[in-house]
Structures are given as C-alpha cells and as structure tokens.
Amino acid sequence: MSDIRWKTFWLGFSVLVVALIIWAMSSLITALIFLCVSLLAFIGKHLYWLYQLQTWLKSPNLNALPDGSGAWAIVFSALFQHHRQNIRTEAELGAALDGFQQATNALPDGIVVLNHRDEIEWCNPPAELLLGLDLNKDANQPIQNFVRYAQFIQYLQSKNYKEPVTVKSIRNRETTLQIQLITFGTAQKLLICRDISAQEKIDTMRRDFIANVSHELRTPLTVVGGFLETLIDTEGAVTDSTKNYFDLMISQTGRMRLIIEDLLTLSRIESNNEVPSITAINMSTLLKMILNDANGLSNGKHNITLNVEESLDIKGNREELLSAFTNLVSNAVRYTPANGKISIDWQLKNHQAVFSVTDSGIGIEEQYIARLTERFYRVDNGRSRETGGTGLGLAIVKHILTRHKAKLEIKSTLGKGSTFSIIFPQSRTIGYASKEVA
Ligand code: ADP
C-alpha cells in the first residue's frame, strides 16, 4: 500500500512541478488548463481500471485478471496473489472433505448429522440404507419424520444419550438396529446407526443353548435327586458307612438344581428387554415379607432391622423385584458372620427411591467390586459354595435392574461390611410419607 501512496504522491508532485514551470514560462491560465487536463486524465484512468475490476469480479478468472498500470498494477497483482491462494485453499478443503466423505461412506455404520433443531444436515449412504433416508430430498427436515420408532423418539426427547437404543427395523423385520446419539458443537447431534442383527442372532443362539441345556438337565437331575432321597429314606438301603456319601450327593444335586433354576431365570430375563406386567408395588408389605424370610434364613444368628418410608412405592414387576431384593438380603445373611448386623432400608434420597442392604459382614476388596455382577464371579469360591451360592445371584439382580432402568451401587470395606443399593429412577417412584418400622 505504501507503494501506491508513494506512486500517487510522486505523480501529483510531478504534475504540480510541471504546472509551476508552465506558469513561470508561460501564464497562470495555461498552467491551470494543464492541471485540469492532468486531473481529468487521472480520474479517467482510475474510472477505466475500476470498470475493468468490476467486469472481472463478475466472473473472476485468474487468467483474465487485467494487468493494470501504475497503482492499479499493484492492486491487481495483490488481487492475483489473494485469488490464487483462495483457489489453493479451496482445493485443499475440497480434497479434505472428499477424503472425509469417502471415509464415512466406507463405514458400515450409518451416520447422520443433525442441527440444533434435530433436522438432517448430512448423512452417509449406509444411513440412507438403514434408516430409509434420501439426503437429496430429506435434508433440512426433522429426523423424527423419517425415523419414527417410538423408542427412538422417546430417546431423542429424553436428552440422555449415554446408552444406545435398540429397535426392530420397520423396513425389514429381520434387522435389528442400534441407534446412538452424540451431542457435539453448540447443540448439534451425531446419530450413529448400526445393524446388530448378526450379534443379536449369536446372542439368541447362546441364550437358547443355555436355556435348552438347563431345561434338559432339570428332569434327569430331579430323578437322581428323588431316587437319592428315596434311598436314604428306605430302611437298610444305606449303611452307616455310606450315609455320608449319600448326604453329599443329595446336597450336590440340590446345588445343581439351584444353578439350573438360576440359569433358566437369567435366560428368561435376558431374552426379553421389556418388563412383563408392570404394577404399583406396595413396598411396605413386600419388605416385611422379605424381613420375615431373612430372619428365617438367618435362623436368629443376625440382628436384622427394617427401615421403611411408608407410602413410598414404585412401579415395576413385583416378582422380579422381589427376586432382586431377596438376592441382596440373602447375600447379606450368607456373607455376615453370626451376631452381625443387617439393615434393610427403603428410603427417598435425592428424589430417588433407594432400596439398600447394609451388613457388618466380611466385606469385599475394592478391586473385586466391579466384577461382582458377572456370571459365576465369586470373590471366595469356597465360601459361596459353603453358603449355598450359585454365583449367578448378582448377575440376575443386574439384569432385573436394567429392565427397570434402575442401577446397583456397591460400597464395601474388607472386614467391615458392605452396602448394596438399588436406585430407582424418578419415573418409577409413586409417592411417599415417612414412617419407621422396627
Ligand atoms: P453367590 O451365589 O456366590 O453369592 P452372587 O452373584 O450373589 O453369587 O454374588 C457374587 C459374589 O459377590 C459372591 O460370591 C461374594 O463373593 C460377593 N458378595 C455378594 N454379596 C456380598 C456381601 N453382602 N458381602 C460380601 N460379599 C458379597
């Protein structure tokens, strides 16, 4: 720019000097005429290049850019550099975008970019295929108009996108889709859609296999157990020296029966994500029943207390929740030495209904806690078997809770005791008033 200023300054200065010389050598009028003509020529030249610039800007082509003269040569040269740089940057961005689109197109998962109003901004071909979208027609339309699964709409409105949602494809009933939303930027969302039919098939085969094997084993085991009991009850059939063996066989068949029952329960719960028959549960009555059972199991060896917030009830499947609560209470009894304390609590904490069982038992080391809900995971195999455990109790609890959208929280200190809490979402809570039960 400083070049332009100097050039203009020198031009003006030269015209002025020449005008002064003309004035000195001729007359003032001639000098003024010279000045006017120079000014007109100056303005004319600028108008000419301005017109050239305007014409070029209508269809800016690098090869057609005028050269310009004087100060305009500098302007056009700067414009040339700038435009060339823009073309380069544009080409680089285009190549990057192409690469990104090729990569997303090659992904087996469907990807849809949604704006802050949940309208489709962009999607890749697998998303078009899996969700039946057509980017050319459906862009800028709300995603709910095309992905109309009730579970998805609920998921979208919930604003809680931690877990994906699974739906059966409307377009093909054989296909199961898993849809996950991820928020990014200011309020945009990325929708990732995956075909999980193959995985589902394997899971179903595994579940069916376990269910079938368990079912097939149940009858022969019942027969063996029955005969063993008959033998032991028959006079003279079992001698004193072999009675121990028979007792052991009876207790082991009993254990196997428990494992089979638990495996069948687990596969039944796993095979259906929906909770059957949800009703309002009278928790006070249910918990008193659980307390009675716990006292029976403990056989007076523990001090068991119940603390209930009366009228705080929940909606759920009574049978399943009873099984989950009983599991935690029976674990507390089994893993707490005689004279220990067990407290069963049903309270509202942070607007959420919480069932918790606190014991002064053996406790669990921190490192094992995360694995407790795995099937057949036991911290101490010997103790679990000794107390009649199958290693499947907490796995069943976890599945029941997932179906009820509740979560399990475990706090424990080795040698001091544990607290197992079931936290229900607000949506399952019915109402409450407070009352203590001894
Ligand atoms: P199990 O039939 O072996 O009790 P669970 O699935 O119910 O199986 O529990 C898994 C493991 O968690 C148990 O083997 C035990 O090691 C541990 N556990 C469960 N509850 C308690 C508790 N209240 N105190 C100490 N350890 C526990």
Side-chain angles (χ1 to χ4, degrees), residues 114 117-118 142-144 147 149-161 165 181 189 191:
L114 304 175
R117 285 195 297 270
D118 296 332
I143 186 77
Q144 301 95 304
V147 184
Y149 307 98
Q151 300 102 304
F152 172 73
I153 309 265
Q154 227 177 349
Y155 175 62
L156 182 69
Q157 288 164 353
S158 74
K159 307 240 180 290
N160 178 2
Y161 308 133
V165 68
L181 286 169
K189 293 184 191 82
L191 183 154

Side-chain angles (χ1 to χ4, degrees), residues 103-118:
T104 47
N105 289 354
L107 278 177
D109 296 346
I111 294 175
V112 186
V113 178
L114 304 175
N115 66 15
H116 65 286
R117 285 195 297 270
D118 296 332

Side-chain angles (χ1 to χ4, degrees), residues 49-65:
W49 287 121
L50 265 177
Y51 173 74
Q52 291 292 321
L53 178 63
Q54 191 196 24
T55 316
W56 181 80
L57 282 174
K58 278 181 193 156
S59 58
N61 177 353
L62 209 55
N63 296 329
L65 189 72

Side-chain angles (χ1 to χ4, degrees), residues 138-343:
D138 306 338
N140 302 319
Q141 301 285 327
I143 186 77
Q144 301 95 304
N145 290 1
F146 307 98
V147 184
R148 311 181 86 136
Y149 307 98
Q151 300 102 304
F152 172 73
I153 309 265
Q154 227 177 349
Y155 175 62
L156 182 69
Q157 288 164 353
S158 74
K159 307 240 180 290
N160 178 2
Y161 308 133
K162 255 195 248 157
E163 298 291 329
V165 68
T166 306
V167 294
K168 273 260 170 252
S169 169
I170 299 171
R171 298 154 56 78
N172 177 2
R173 296 306 292 171
E174 299 284 290
T175 307
T176 307
L177 300 176
Q178 192 179 61
I179 305 175
Q180 168 115 52
L181 286 169
I182 298 164
T183 45
F184 73 99
T186 40
Q188 286 149 292
K189 293 184 191 82
L190 199 66
L191 183 154
I192 300 173
C193 174
R194 189 168 297 160
D195 181 350
I196 55 158
S197 315
Q199 179 63 40
E200 267 249 314
K201 219 173 205 168
I202 295 170
D203 279 352
T204 310
M205 272 164 59
R206 179 184 56 80
R207 273 198 303 268
D208 287 353
F209 175 74
I210 294 173
N212 290 339
V213 168
S214 309
H215 199 76
E216 290 299 322
L217 283 175
R218 192 149 65 165
T219 315
L221 251 178
T222 312
V223 173
V224 172
F227 278 130
L228 283 172
E229 271 162 23
T230 313
L231 274 176
I232 223 161
D233 289 344
T234 309
E235 278 270 337
V238 179
T239 61
D240 284 349
S241 58
T242 54
K243 189 173 178 303
N244 270 352
Y245 302 139
F246 275 86
D247 283 344
L248 200 64
M249 281 193 278
I250 285 175
S251 93
Q252 288 305 313
T253 45
R255 230 177 71 73
M256 276 170 80
R257 228 179 292 159
L258 282 181
I259 293 176
I260 284 169
E261 290 308 325
D262 276 359
L263 278 173
L264 282 170
T265 307
L266 204 54
S267 63
R268 196 191 64 239
I269 297 171
E270 267 188 328
S271 60
N272 185 3
N273 278 332
E274 295 298 314
V275 188
S277 79
I278 293 181
T279 54
I281 303 168
N282 182 328
M283 285 298 289
S284 176
T285 316
L286 189 86
L287 291 171
K288 280 171 199 160
M289 202 174 97
I290 290 171
L291 176 69
N292 269 342
D293 290 352
N295 278 323
L297 188 67
S298 154
N299 209 5
K301 290 196 196 106
H302 306 92
N303 173 14
I304 308 176
T305 53
L306 176 64
N307 180 24
V308 176
E309 261 185 19
E310 291 271 350
S311 310
L312 169 62
D313 290 331
I314 42 161
K315 286 176 279 180
N317 182 278
R318 190 175 187 279
E319 198 192 321
E320 287 190 5
L321 289 178
L322 174 64
S323 157
F325 296 153
T326 308
N327 242 305
L328 297 190
V329 175
S330 84
N331 275 354
V333 173
R334 290 192 296 117
Y335 296 106
T336 302
N339 301 321
K341 282 187 189 155
I342 295 167
S343 163

Side-chain angles (χ1 to χ4, degrees), residues 331 334-335 359 364 372 377-379 384 389-391 393-394 420:
N331 275 354
R334 290 192 296 117
Y335 296 106
D359 64 57
I364 308 148
L372 294 184
Y377 187 83
R378 292 136 161 157
V379 178
S384 165
T390 62
L394 290 180
F420 285 71

